[in-house]
């Protein structure tokens, strides 16, 4: 098992390229189950979640290769509609195969994703959407067993109580091959879903309202294979910008999409950092500022992403004064707080808020990653802390950040990956 050893206090400087977005490829990959043939997805990050989805798709019969950030997925010979526990337990996004399998093959057996590192993460909205489209769902032996009532799914109105990225993606992938019209209201409008809709359109799907909260779909009989260039990872970009802000650095990000980062940019500017950007390049200069406290409340896109909450909390922990960081998406996503406290942070949890009293300096210690974004916050804290910080269980960060230590090293950070027997 690997750990990071970070000697804090280095000012980050220089230029790095942002990788492709993990969460959007995780939605694009299962979409190939809707067609028969060879699909190519470029700008795919080399992160463990992508390998997990590849293994799952291979299990279903997809021929998959991944080379130089290019995924080639051939869906000609699908032999199975079962997503087993061994893959699904590693990654919730595996549930994305439910919609496409059901729409194309009339049946799917998908292991229930189970618990998560923080709080319950239900899939009721996914299942309700499938039922609306004409599926019969049974839960048996830890599996979702779904069958289409008729030969094909049938178009329907799907009104989501809560805006859900995963449930919108699943409903969309099911509706594109359903007979007739479907309308999804309160649909997620995250860039990852917008890109999925665009990918489906390039396969021949008929979808209107892309990028909005109402999606109108006219089902088609079949979809053809298609290629797509994946969008940049807005969460990786945001994490690197905060790394610069926390170390009083000055960095430039290339291959980024600043339009996906509006509120993160706003909050960084509110903290005093100077940002300059166009569509593909972003620069942040925090070298001459005395950072200010900035409260943050997470919300659905285009709000402040819950996937940046832990990193912002780490940032505010070294800005003297008080800040409140509230998560409205996941009410108990605070596993990083006790670990940040081990580094000297002064943070109290009050319901779904972290009340942060910024300290002058964090001090290096050994800390444990508990989930993907929590581990990113610990790395950021380690970069800003005095002395040496060891971040254990970094397999969490490897799920979603492509060799983050190499990017940080390129910016001048003193961070090393070390193989260890410690857990
Ligand atoms: C996706 C992202 C994840 C991000 C999250 C919120 C991927 C692979 N993952 O996760 O990184 O943190 O969006 O932006 O893209 N909910 C229900 N019932 C459901 C589904 C969701 O109640 O059936 C609730 C969740 O508990 C949560 C909210 O809806 O409170 C939003 O979750 P959702 O958007 O579904 O998250 P994911 O798609 O799992």
């Amino acid at each position: 098992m690997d750990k990071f050893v970070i000697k804090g206090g280095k000012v980050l400087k220089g230029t790095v390229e942002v990788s492709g977005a993990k969460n959007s490829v995780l939605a694009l990959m299962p979409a190939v189950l809707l067609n028969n043939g060879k699909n190519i997805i470029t700008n795919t990050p080399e992160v463990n979640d992508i390998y997990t989805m590849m293994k799952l798709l291979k299990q279903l019969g997809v021929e998959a290769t991944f080379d130089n950030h290019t995924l080639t997925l051939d869906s000609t010979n699908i032999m199975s509609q079962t997503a087993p526990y061994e893959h699904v337990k590693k990654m919730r996004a595996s549930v994305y195969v439910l919609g496409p399998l059901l729409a194309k093959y009339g049946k799917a057996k998908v292991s229930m994703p189970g618990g998560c590192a923080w709080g319950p993460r239900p899939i009721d909205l996914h299942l309700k959407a499938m039922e609306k489209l004409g599926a019969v769902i049974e839960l048996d032996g830890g599996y979702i067993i779904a069958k289409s009532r008729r030969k094909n799914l049938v178009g329907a109105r799907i009104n989501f109580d809560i805006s859900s990225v995963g449930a919108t993606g699943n409903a969309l992938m099911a509706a594109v091959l359903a007979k007739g019209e479907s309308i999804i209201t309160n649909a997620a409008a995250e860039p990852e879903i917008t890109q999925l809709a665009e990918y489906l359109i390039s396969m021949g799907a008929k979808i209107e309202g892309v990028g909005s909260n109402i999606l109108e779909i006219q089902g088609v009989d079949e979809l053809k294979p298609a290629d797509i260039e994946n969008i940049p990872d807005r969460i990786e970009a945001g994490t690197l910008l905060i790394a610069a802000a926390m170390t009083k650095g000055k960095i430039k990000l290339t291959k980024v999409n600043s339009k996906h980062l509006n509120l993160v940019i706003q909050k960084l500017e509110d903290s005093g950092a100077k940002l300059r950007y166009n569509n593909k390049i972003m620069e942040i200069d925090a070298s001459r500022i005395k950072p200010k406290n900035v409260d943050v409340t997470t919300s659905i896109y285009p709000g402040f992403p819950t996937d940046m909450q832990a990193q912002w909390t780490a940032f505010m922990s070294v800005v003297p004064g008080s800040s409140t960081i509230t998560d409205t998406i996941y009410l108990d996503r605070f596993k990083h707080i006790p670990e940040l406290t081990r580094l000297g942070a002064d943070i109290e949890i009050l319901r779904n808020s972290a009340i942060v009293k910024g300290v002058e300096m964090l001090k290096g210690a050994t800390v444990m990653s508990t989930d993907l974004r929590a581990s990113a916050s610990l790395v950021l804290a380690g970069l800003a802390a005095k002395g040496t910080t060891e971040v254990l269980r970094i397999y969490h960060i490897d799920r979603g950040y492509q060799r983050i230590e190499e990017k940080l090293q390129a910016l001048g950070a003193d961070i090393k990956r070390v193989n260890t027997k410690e857990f």
Side-chain angles (χ1 to χ4, degrees):
M1 194 165 294
D2 291 355
K3 68 178 176 185
F4 283 145
V5 178
I6 305 167
K7 290 201 179 111
K10 294 270 192 267
V11 173
L12 297 195
K13 279 187 195 141
T15 302
V16 279
E17 188 178 292
V18 171
S19 294
K22 164 201 86 109
N23 280 354
S24 62
V25 180
L26 289 178
L28 299 176
M29 292 171 79
V32 308
L33 294 167
L34 292 162
N35 60 45
N36 295 82
K38 195 167 114 185
N39 302 265
I40 296 174
I41 305 171
T42 51
N43 198 30
T44 300
E46 287 165 3
V47 299
N48 286 347
D49 275 7
I50 302 299
Y51 293 104
T52 303
M53 184 62 90
M54 249 178 104
K55 280 191 198 138
L56 172 56
L57 293 181
K58 278 185 177 177
Q59 165 101 24
L60 304 175
V62 173
E63 275 178 40
T65 59
F66 187 19
D67 188 32
N68 196 19
H69 303 111
T70 301
L71 263 176
T72 306
L73 303 170
D74 191 329
S75 57
T76 311
N77 297 311
I78 300 303
M79 304 152 329
S80 162
Q81 287 78 36
T82 300
Y85 180 60
E86 63 169 304
H87 299 308
V88 181
K89 74 173 182 202
K90 287 198 192 132
M91 187 181 70
R92 265 180 68 80
S94 309
V95 80
Y96 266 138
V97 299
L98 177 65
L101 284 176
L102 199 49
K104 179 84 194 290
Y105 298 97
K107 58 178 182 175
K109 183 174 169 188
V110 179
S111 173
M112 303 270 289
C116 186
W118 76 89
R121 290 178 73 186
I123 53 158
D124 55 316
L125 298 173
H126 298 245
L127 302 186
K128 274 187 205 153
M130 298 306 134
E131 283 175 338
K132 284 266 181 192
L133 292 166
V136 183
I137 309 250
E138 206 188 309
L139 301 179
D140 189 28
Y143 276 82
I144 305 157
I145 299 166
K147 287 198 185 98
S148 179
R149 236 178 251 282
R150 304 198 192 156
K151 187 168 167 282
N152 292 99
L153 294 176
V154 182
R157 244 193 121 86
I158 300 166
N159 304 308
F160 284 124
D161 281 347
I162 304 173
S163 174
S164 157
V165 174
T168 302
N170 239 333
L172 191 56
M173 287 191 273
V176 287
L177 284 185
K179 283 267 171 250
E181 185 183 67
S182 295
I183 299 178
I184 306 177
T185 66
N186 203 12
E190 269 67 5
E192 294 75 22
I193 292 297
T194 298
Q195 173 167 257
L196 171 64
E198 282 163 0
Y199 188 39
L200 294 170
I201 290 170
S202 69
M203 290 181 186
K206 295 205 169 114
I207 307 170
E208 281 186 23
V210 175
S212 81
N213 304 110
I214 301 181
L215 298 171
E216 293 181 32
I217 304 119
Q218 293 294 340
V220 294
D221 291 338
E222 58 174 22
L223 294 175
K224 56 182 191 311
D227 302 340
I228 187 166
E229 184 183 347
N230 180 37
I231 55 174
D233 196 314
R234 61 194 170 109
I235 306 299
E236 186 199 57
T239 304
L240 292 168
L241 292 172
I242 293 180
M246 283 179 77
T247 58
K248 299 201 180 303
K250 186 178 173 188
I251 68 165
K252 182 168 165 183
L253 303 180
T254 58
K255 246 180 138 182
V256 66
N257 187 338
S258 60
K259 286 189 205 145
H260 294 162
L261 280 153
N262 284 332
L263 210 63
V264 174
I265 293 172
Q266 181 63 56
K267 293 288 174 183
L268 283 164
E269 284 177 341
D270 291 349
S271 81
K274 304 270 174 272
L275 280 100
R276 287 190 337 152
Y277 48 91
N278 60 26
N279 279 350
K280 293 194 172 150
I281 292 174
M282 296 184 77
E283 288 177 276
I284 181 167
D285 184 355
S287 57
R288 283 186 298 271
I289 62 155
K290 195 166 175 296
K292 294 195 265 296
N293 305 109
V294 180
D295 295 346
V296 150
T297 299
T298 68
S299 60
I300 56 171
Y301 188 80
F304 192 91
T306 173
D307 284 352
M308 293 287 302
Q309 180 257 105
Q311 299 90 312
W312 195 264
T313 305
F315 180 20
M316 286 302 115
S317 74
V318 289
V319 179
S322 180
S323 338
T324 302
I325 291 120
T326 303
D327 202 321
T328 67
I329 308 290
Y330 295 114
L331 305 185
D332 49 4
R333 190 179 197 175
F334 292 115
K335 287 273 197 235
H336 46 289
I337 306 281
E339 300 302 308
L340 288 173
T341 307
R342 289 175 56 73
L343 296 168
D346 182 352
I347 310 174
E348 206 188 318
I349 303 169
L350 199 62
R351 290 186 290 277
N352 60 329
S353 296
I355 317 293
V356 187
K357 292 205 181 81
V359 294
E360 285 295 335
M361 185 65 87
L362 297 174
K363 288 200 196 102
T366 300
V367 287
M368 183 91 84
S369 310
T370 51
D371 63 73
L372 171 56
R373 306 305 169 185
S375 51
S377 80
L378 298 178
V379 169
L380 294 180
L383 294 173
K386 190 165 184 250
T388 303
T389 297
E390 297 204 346
V391 183
L392 308 183
R393 296 196 182 178
I394 56 168
Y395 61 86
H396 287 291
I397 207 164
D398 290 336
R399 285 189 51 192
Y401 289 85
Q402 182 182 299
R403 294 184 292 281
I404 186 82
E405 75 279 18
E406 289 179 10
K407 289 189 177 151
L408 293 169
Q409 283 158 0
L411 296 171
D414 189 340
I415 176 170
K416 273 198 298 256
R417 180 183 288 265
V418 177
N419 193 261
T420 169
K421 292 200 164 51
E422 286 167 277
F423 275 79

